[in-house]
Amino acid sequence: MLKELFTKKKKYASVPSEQVKQDVPEGIMTKCPKCKKIMYTKELMKNLRVCMSCGYHHPLPARERIDSLLDEGSFQEYDSEMISENPLQFPDYLEKLEADRRKSQLNEAVVTGTGTLNERPLVIAVMDSAFRMGSMGSVVGEKIARAVEKARELQVPFVIFTASGGARMQEGVLSLMQMAKTSAALKRFSDDGGLIISIMTHPTTGGVSASFASLGDYNFAEPGALIGFAGRRVIEQTVREELPEDFQTAEFLLKHGQLDAVIHRHELKETLANVLDIHQTGGDGEWWAN
Amino acid sequence: MVGELEFEKPLIELRKKISELKEFTQTADVDLSAEIEKLEARLEKLENETYANLTPWDRVQIARHPNRPTTLDYIERLFTNFLECHGDRLFGDDEAIVGGIAKYHGLPVTVIGHQRGKDTKENIRRNFGMPHPEGYRKALRLMKQAEKFNRPIICFIDTKGAYPGKAAEERGQSEAIARNLFEMAGLTVPVVCIVIGEGGSGGALALGVGNHIHMLENSTYSVISPEGAAAILWKDASLAKRAAETMKITAADLQKLGVIDEIIPEVRGGAHRNLDEQAQSIDAVLKQSLQELLPLDGLALVEQRYRKFRQIGQIAFSEDYLEVK
């Protein structure tokens, strides 16, 4: 017995078998890509996926975003059953869509619907970068155009959260045309006096930044979000110069006059409530009466 | 010869052979007229075959031909009294877009278009027809002016895309393009857009929200260049040829997809072969467009344009995916 204590036994690092590995629920821990800290996903989610250590804004899934803003139980989704076709007969496109459906638990890269925020009604569209990098094809364009038309019909504000790599390559020029379609819908809504609030989240680039994302009466962004038209690498290749560290970040855009404000995720609801409030308090006789 | 295209090589060789034979018969004392006739017949046949079966990549080459007519070439031939108007009143004048007032068969119009250069020097001045935000803002200024004075707007589209540069981003390339899409949607005057060369991405679309959109037979219109698509999709820009086929970027493709109205036929071999003749066929289509649109009032024009873009795209519905939370 005592002897055994002194004999050095070889120690092996234990490697969990494939079976055991699968038993650990996926995503129990999340590593912050910025500060590299590892934290419980559940706690991160409670914090609206803002890193507790460095404040990095992790991508927020569309449904979590909606839950974080709207009054409980008020959200009614539009067009949840709308899905993409393969208009160009693009190789592997349908398979990729299917894979993303499973991965993201979404039918497409945007969730639209109506609900109330502090009891103020609105139509909301939230993009989700987990589905095809939030890219805009026919369905994204159609859902957003329909949501804007709905806001016009209901005479309520339209709020959009963008997260997108841009137009969806696999639908070619049809994706490009969604930029015009969504912008035209917003123009019509705007001409009727409709309020448009755009909140750009990481990333908002290409055809999405060059259409509805930039067309808010108020254009906000989350801290650190990448926002721009052309990709950084493309620009570096064309201009052959070193780009500043903060190039195309929300803060860079703010500095160059392209945004109204950069707003921390924890303060977004309050900010939106404030804007909605200012817009819904009549500036007419009511005010004088008080 | 400058501007020979890859797919035209067999034709060029045959032509060279014929002219050699012709020269030979003149100097030597042999009659080769039968041979020459045979070869000429073969050339004719080969030309017909080649130009009737252009691949999308061939058309990309024609659309990028260094001698392909530009916006200013067409303005000179289709309009009179053209006065170019410069500047966006905010930052500067972007020479990658030209615009101004003119008369079209006597009718006052505003005409705007992307402008490439014809040589290196001009291309540098015009930034290869790739606009900065101030170009789009100039275009919008001219469109709003046209609306004020109730003039139809004609836009020529011919750009590889908006310029990807630091300054362009700082000055709001995205916002400038978005604003044009937004404002063009509401214009109460007729807007006719004609793609004359390359229609590249958002930079093309920013002049493209028209009541009617036409394309020259060998022009292209696409969400991204074939090279860009190949780089993103297959991480290999040399697969551009394949991307050109896959991305469906030709006039015939766009008509099938319900994006454009008319395909304007080109001179055989491409618009650069005969500029005057090409201008005439554009003239015919443009005249017809304006005749259709001029009787409509402002509201009807906005509505027609709205419907046009509203219906673009393909969607489906599936019960299988209802509520996935």
Side-chain angles (χ1 to χ4, degrees):
Chain A
M1 279 277 272
L2 204 67
K3 247 186 187 172
E4 275 176 15
L5 279 174
F6 296 99
T7 45
K8 272 187 180 170
K9 264 190 172 175
K10 264 190 182 168
K11 277 185 181 166
Y12 297 96
S14 63
V15 180
S17 68
E18 280 305 305
Q19 186 56 48
V20 178
K21 262 188 198 166
Q22 277 170 13
D23 286 346
V24 180
E26 218 178 80
I28 205 164
M29 303 295 282
T30 301
K31 187 175 174 183
C32 176
K34 199 176 166 203
C35 69
K36 314 288 178 210
K37 261 222 169 119
I38 295 171
M39 57 203 90
Y40 281 111
T41 306
K42 260 194 183 157
E43 276 178 30
L44 185 66
M45 279 170 73
K46 253 191 228 157
N47 203 37
L48 297 180
R49 296 189 190 257
V50 176
C51 175
M52 281 83 85
S53 153
C54 73
Y56 176 79
H57 285 47
H58 291 249
L60 191 61
R63 294 188 196 281
E64 285 178 38
R65 172 81 67 186
I66 289 164
D67 288 344
S68 79
L69 294 169
L70 298 191
D71 302 332
E72 216 185 317
S74 72
F75 183 65
Q76 283 177 292
E77 189 171 347
Y78 298 146
D79 302 310
S80 60
E81 71 283 16
M82 198 189 294
I83 58 168
S84 291
E85 292 211 303
N86 189 4
L88 307 190
Q89 305 305 314
F90 206 97
D92 304 332
Y93 181 38
L94 292 178
E95 289 75 14
K96 282 183 175 155
L97 289 170
E98 184 59 41
D100 277 12
R101 256 178 226 132
R102 289 176 198 287
K103 190 185 76 179
S104 67
Q105 296 291 295
L106 293 166
N107 281 342
E108 254 296 339
V110 69
V111 176
T112 58
T114 183
T116 58
L117 190 153
N118 287 0
E119 288 169 21
R120 299 211 183 270
L122 47 79
V123 166
I124 189 167
V126 182
M127 302 186 84
D128 195 319
S129 60
F131 193 99
R132 298 275 84 211
M133 205 49 227
S135 61
M136 171 162 63
S138 298
V139 171
V140 170
E142 180 68 21
K143 279 176 93 167
I144 290 172
R146 285 189 186 196
V148 174
E149 285 172 343
K150 203 76 191 173
R152 182 171 176 253
E153 187 191 311
L154 300 172
Q155 300 187 9
V156 299
F158 177 71
V159 175
I160 183 154
F161 283 82
T162 60
S164 175
R168 190 171 296 170
M169 296 297 128
Q170 291 90 345
E171 292 189 33
V173 77
L174 293 181
S175 301
L176 182 69
M177 294 298 150
Q178 304 309 310
M179 292 168 64
K181 182 202 271 187
T182 51
S183 302
L186 286 172
K187 171 67 178 166
R188 188 168 266 222
F189 176 59
S190 180
D191 282 352
D192 279 4
L195 167 65
I196 305 160
I197 305 173
S198 166
I199 303 99
M200 299 176 227
T201 73
H202 181 76
T204 295
T205 58
V208 166
S209 95
S211 59
F212 50 84
S214 297
L215 292 173
D217 294 298
Y218 304 93
N219 291 336
F220 299 128
E222 285 192 340
L226 172 77
I227 304 162
F229 181 66
R232 187 189 182 103
R233 244 180 310 154
V234 178
I235 297 171
E236 270 169 348
Q237 277 164 15
T238 7
V239 298
R240 302 203 181 280
E241 62 173 301
E242 196 73 6
L243 295 167
E245 179 90 350
D246 70 341
F247 186 62
Q248 292 183 326
T249 59
E251 293 73 16
F252 175 89
L253 265 81
L254 183 70
K255 199 166 73 190
H256 285 95
Q258 304 299 330
L259 291 174
D260 288 288
V262 175
I263 296 169
H264 193 283
R265 193 174 284 164
H266 289 167
E267 276 141 35
L268 259 172
K269 184 172 178 175
E270 200 184 322
T271 306
L272 285 176
N274 184 31
V275 176
L276 293 174
D277 183 56
I278 287 171
H279 278 266
Q280 287 176 13
T281 306
D284 48 17
E286 216 181 308
W287 184 79
W288 291 109
N290 296 321
Chain B
M1 217 176 109
V2 184
E4 278 175 5
L5 300 176
E6 187 66 33
F7 68 89
E8 290 178 317
K9 273 192 179 143
L11 294 175
I12 292 154
E13 263 164 40
L14 202 53
R15 267 189 223 121
K16 210 167 114 195
K17 212 168 175 184
I18 293 169
S19 71
E20 273 170 14
L21 281 179
K22 276 183 178 165
E23 210 172 290
F24 184 70
T25 43
Q26 270 169 10
T27 49
D29 198 19
V30 260
D31 184 18
L32 290 173
S33 56
E35 294 291 314
I36 291 169
E37 222 168 273
K38 227 194 231 165
L39 283 178
E40 274 177 341
R42 217 172 93 197
L43 177 67
E44 173 73 19
K45 203 178 149 212
L46 193 62
E47 274 192 347
N48 285 338
E49 273 171 16
T50 306
Y51 293 120
N53 297 302
L54 291 176
T55 67
W57 186 243
D58 296 338
R59 292 190 200 274
V60 169
Q61 302 309 306
I62 297 178
R64 290 175 179 173
H65 197 287
N67 297 335
R68 189 157 177 92
T70 65
T71 294
L72 285 174
D73 289 322
Y74 291 126
I75 288 179
E76 195 186 314
R77 280 160 185 82
L78 293 167
F79 304 91
T80 60
N81 308 64
F82 177 62
L83 174 71
E84 187 177 350
C85 302
H86 295 272
D88 68 346
R89 304 293 187 271
L90 298 163
F91 181 80
D93 183 41
D94 185 349
E95 295 193 78
I97 289 182
V98 295
I101 51 173
K103 281 188 175 178
Y104 177 69
H105 295 285
L107 176 77
V109 295
T110 286
V111 51
I112 301 165
H114 300 99
Q115 183 64 39
R116 288 177 293 111
K118 288 267 170 112
D119 50 45
T120 310
K121 202 176 149 201
E122 199 196 352
N123 256 324
I124 287 166
R125 182 158 69 90
R126 300 201 179 276
N127 202 29
F128 296 83
M130 298 165 84
H132 280 74
E134 46 273 23
Y136 296 115
R137 290 175 181 142
K138 167 170 72 177
L140 183 58
R141 179 177 77 81
L142 296 176
M143 289 187 220
K144 293 301 245 183
Q145 183 195 61
E147 186 178 42
K148 175 180 173 186
F149 296 107
N150 204 24
R151 288 192 293 262
I153 298 164
I154 294 126
C155 291
F156 292 107
I157 293 170
D158 185 17
T159 183
K160 288 183 189 303
Y163 185 66
K166 183 170 165 249
E169 296 288 326
E170 286 172 343
R171 296 200 287 273
Q173 189 75 286
S174 291
E175 196 273 345
I177 294 171
R179 187 65 49 195
N180 276 24
L181 306 179
F182 184 82
E183 293 295 342
M184 283 186 89
L187 291 169
T188 54
V189 292
V191 182
V192 179
C193 305
I194 303 171
V195 187
I196 57 171
E198 279 183 276
S201 187
L205 186 63
L207 298 185
V209 187
N211 294 93
H212 287 172
I213 307 166
H214 309 307
M215 277 177 79
L216 292 197
E217 192 186 335
N218 295 317
S219 64
T220 59
Y221 201 170
S222 156
V223 67
I224 188 170
S225 71
E227 289 81 1
I232 290 177
L233 292 165
W234 305 304
K235 318 260 177 261
D236 185 354
S238 68
L239 295 173
K241 201 171 169 178
R242 191 171 128 203
E245 320 251 326
T246 316
M247 297 295 289
K248 306 271 193 294
I249 60 174
T250 67
D253 290 327
L254 267 81
Q255 201 176 38
K256 257 184 247 152
L257 290 168
V259 176
I260 62 156
D261 298 274
E262 299 282 329
I263 299 173
I264 303 174
E266 277 192 36
V267 178
R268 192 162 83 166
H272 58 283
R273 293 289 179 89
N274 191 332
L275 183 43
D276 292 321
E277 202 185 314
Q278 191 58 60
Q280 274 172 29
S281 49
I282 294 177
D283 189 37
V285 173
L286 181 56
K287 206 187 281 174
Q288 200 194 327
S289 257
L290 287 174
Q291 276 167 355
E292 257 176 61
L293 295 171
L294 281 168
L296 303 179
D297 66 18
L299 270 179
L301 287 165
V302 172
E303 181 64 24
Q304 189 269 348
R305 208 180 299 123
Y306 190 77
R307 288 292 134 219
K308 178 179 181 59
F309 283 91
R310 193 64 189 77
Q311 55 80 32
I312 298 177
Q314 280 186 30
I315 55 166
F317 292 90
S318 164
E319 294 292 320
D320 301 347
Y321 297 103
L322 269 176
E323 202 38 37
V324 270
K325 190 152 189 173

